[in-house]
Amino acid sequence: CVLLDVQAACQDATVTQELLKEGFHRDLLVKVELGAMGEDVGGCAVAARTRLPPGIYVDPYELASLQQHNLTKAVLIPDVIDVEAPEYLATDLLVLLYMEPDPRCSHCFRAALPVHGRYHRPAEESEDALVVLKSPEVLICCCDNRLSVECWKPAEVEAPCSDKNVGPCRWYSVTHKPAYEESILQVPVGLRQHSSLVCVVTLLATVLCSSLILAAVCKYGHFS
């Protein structure tokens, strides 16, 4: 009976993630409800660790700007990201997203992170590429509190407990129940049968713009 009670308490955490907006530029909203386990996390840091597939990325310059205004706190691994790379040349990205208490719900935490879809190869039929985003892992870091060993297990995370800490802290993870196992991001892609038309239009536009620039230089330019 004691074992069943412990398992029931440990399985009380719920994670929900949503992709807001449409198109290439989205907001990833993560919500965590710790339930009965929330009674032991007073004064602790709660984070969500999620792995972004190659089809989606975080702009480190945008993230740095948001962190300066205390709008988002996150750690990117790796911290150097090629924002211009297409999906087929990119790699996975690990994100540790620090969460804030939700004032509308006790034992609840939430955080939002802007994410962007990468360009994909042209498709044969579908005008959308599907990017699968798995449910994140719930992590907690406590400097002075002791967590229940039945619910929380040590996690291999090399990151500070918050943006105010310098060195890495001891993080713990919990087995939780995701509201959805995965989220699907639909990224618009071009069609292969349109490639000839796109090449012709691009060439004509380039020739037209180059001609206009050359004409303006010849008319208004001053040559010695």
Side-chain angles (χ1 to χ4, degrees):
C1 293
V2 175
L3 178 60
L4 293 177
D5 292 341
V6 169
Q7 291 179 342
C10 295
Q11 295 174 355
D12 209 9
T14 304
V15 177
T16 303
Q17 66 177 4
E18 301 177 57
L19 285 165
L20 309 178
K21 302 179 182 178
E22 298 292 336
F24 282 92
H25 310 289
R26 313 290 287 270
D27 284 335
L28 177 62
L29 177 62
V30 182
K31 301 178 183 179
V32 174
E33 183 177 357
L34 295 179
M37 291 184 294
E39 299 175 357
D40 301 327
V41 301
C44 301
V46 178
R49 181 168 62 171
T50 184
R51 184 174 297 276
L52 301 182
I56 190 173
Y57 72 97
V58 176
D59 188 336
Y61 304 103
E62 180 183 20
L63 178 60
S65 176
L66 293 174
Q67 293 189 136
Q68 286 180 352
H69 296 85
N70 268 345
L71 297 177
T72 298
K73 300 175 183 178
V75 174
L76 305 181
I77 305 173
D79 56 355
V80 178
I81 301 171
D82 185 357
V83 299
E84 301 294 338
E87 177 269 340
Y88 48 87
L89 295 179
T91 58
D92 290 356
L93 173 64
L94 192 62
V95 180
L96 183 66
L97 181 60
Y98 297 99
M99 314 196 73
E100 298 290 339
D102 190 341
R104 297 170 296 182
C105 168
S106 64
H107 307 158
C108 295
F109 300 82
R110 60 183 291 155
L113 180 70
V115 295
H116 308 275
R118 292 188 183 274
Y119 290 108
H120 288 62
R121 295 183 187 274
E124 293 291 347
E125 298 179 357
S126 175
E127 296 184 355
D128 293 302
L130 302 182
V131 180
V132 179
L133 188 60
K134 298 293 185 180
S135 178
E137 178 185 8
V138 180
L139 299 174
I140 189 167
C141 176
C142 296
C143 297
D144 302 323
N145 298 51
R146 297 186 61 183
L147 298 174
S148 173
V149 296
E150 293 86 358
C151 297
W152 302 93
K153 305 300 180 183
E156 296 181 0
V157 179
E158 293 292 332
C161 291
S162 69
D163 57 342
K164 298 180 181 178
N165 296 100
V166 178
C169 299
R170 165 58 70 184
W171 288 89
Y172 294 85
S173 64
V174 62
T175 302
H176 61 276
K177 178 183 179 182
Y180 306 99
E181 291 292 342
E182 58 188 29
S183 299
I184 304 296
L185 171 66
Q186 291 183 318
V187 180
V189 298
L191 297 178
R192 292 185 183 275
Q193 56 264 36
H194 296 163
S195 57
S196 299
L197 177 62
V198 172
C199 291
V200 171
V201 172
T202 302
L203 179 60
L204 292 177
T206 302
V207 172
L208 177 61
C209 294
S210 300
S211 302
L212 293 176
I213 294 174
L214 183 60
V217 170
C218 294
K219 183 176 182 179
Y220 301 105
H222 299 281
F223 304 95
S224 57

